Amino acid sequence: AQSVTQLGSHVSVSEGALVLLRCNYSSSVPPYLFWYVQYPNQGLQLLLKYTTGATLVKGINGFEAEFKKSETSFHLTKPSAHMSDAAEYFCAVRNFGNEKLTFGTGTRLTIIP
Amino acid sequence: NAGVTQTPKFRILKIGQSMTLQCTQDMNHNYMYWYRQDPGMGLKLIYYSVGAGITDKGEVPNGYNVSRSTTEDFPLRLELAAPSQTSVYFCASNGQGNNEQFFGPGTRLTVL
């Protein structure tokens, strides 16, 4: 069974600093990869996804992620954190031909003014 | 489009009571899912459906039942509520060949 590991359940960064949220997956073949964001008391919203093609993927709100097959990673970055980025972020994977998602345990991002 | 809607938003149950969590989507999506979210655990798949009349168990189905009589609706039934079912429940859907799952706003359930 595939699994998703998000290193760091809580990450704090200063406003304007780089955001780096880590995601590693285990899968025998390159899967589809997703990052979702959850704001307090809301559902999940898609930030970005990788399916095929370019390995550097740009999403909403200035976030991007790079699929690295050799490292089985899909880390999420943003060059300059904003207060509105405070939320919980989930990495998820889906294998080709299977609609089900497997989620990581999430990383709560806090922005320090 | 309203997207994925869930009712109720909040509910408190006593042990042993039953209830149905409602989920409706207006995007004509074939695939629908129920997840539960517990602190530090991420989202766990309870049940899913690939179309009307077809449902299957996910990772944590015990204590729950589902039905899918229409494309739009995918209710989740708790027959005998237990404190371990205290959680936030999310419904999601996606279309054939569409990689993005769309999520509802969630139902926060407390069992006392």
Side-chain angles (χ1 to χ4, degrees):
Chain A
Q2 62 186 352
S3 64
V4 180
T5 302
Q6 291 185 240
L7 282 178
S9 58
H10 292 86
V11 171
S12 296
V13 301
S14 297
E15 190 175 14
L18 171 72
V19 175
L20 171 61
L21 305 182
R22 300 178 186 274
C23 173
N24 288 86
Y25 66 91
S26 66
S27 177
S28 57
V29 296
Y32 296 158
L33 296 155
F34 306 81
W35 276 99
Y36 281 85
V37 61
Q38 184 181 32
Y39 298 103
N41 299 314
Q42 294 187 25
L44 278 69
Q45 176 185 359
L46 183 69
L47 264 183
L48 51 78
K49 63 184 180 184
Y50 169 79
T51 53
T52 58
T55 56
L56 182 62
V57 180
K58 295 186 185 300
I60 62 172
N61 301 337
F63 284 93
E64 62 182 37
E66 186 171 11
F67 168 55
K68 292 187 176 180
K69 181 180 175 181
S70 61
E71 299 177 7
T72 61
S73 69
F74 191 56
H75 302 331
L76 182 70
T77 60
K78 181 174 180 178
S80 177
H82 191 271
M83 295 301 294
S84 61
D85 295 328
E88 189 152 21
Y89 293 79
F90 293 93
C91 182
V93 301
R94 177 167 83 82
N95 281 333
F96 179 77
N98 184 344
E99 297 289 338
K100 293 184 287 184
L101 291 177
T102 300
F103 284 88
T105 52
T107 297
R108 184 170 299 279
L109 177 65
T110 300
I111 310 299
I112 304 166
Chain B
N1 287 351
V4 180
T5 57
Q6 293 182 237
T7 57
K9 287 186 175 11
F10 305 93
R11 184 73 184 268
I12 298 175
L13 284 181
K14 294 183 179 179
I15 295 172
Q17 286 185 320
S18 62
M19 78 163 293
T20 299
L21 283 66
Q22 301 290 347
C23 174
T24 300
Q25 53 88 12
D26 62 359
M27 297 173 282
N28 200 32
H29 285 167
N30 290 332
Y31 299 89
M32 296 188 74
Y33 312 83
W34 274 106
Y35 296 93
R36 60 177 288 170
Q37 183 181 26
D38 301 297
M41 302 294 289
L43 277 76
K44 301 292 186 185
L45 183 65
I46 304 171
Y47 270 95
Y48 67 101
S49 170
V50 301
I54 306 169
T55 63
D56 207 348
K57 296 178 180 179
E59 187 179 358
V60 290
N62 291 344
Y64 308 94
N65 276 299
V66 294
S67 60
R68 184 95 182 271
S69 56
T70 67
T71 299
E72 295 78 18
D73 300 307
F74 190 41
L76 178 71
R77 179 82 176 164
L78 282 70
E79 290 294 348
L80 289 170
S84 60
Q85 294 177 305
T86 294
S87 188
V88 181
Y89 292 85
F90 289 100
C91 180
S93 72
N94 67 278
Q96 180 79 36
N98 184 335
N99 293 304
E100 178 182 357
Q101 286 189 15
F102 294 84
F103 283 78
T107 294
R108 186 175 296 274
L109 176 67
T110 302
V111 182
L112 300 174

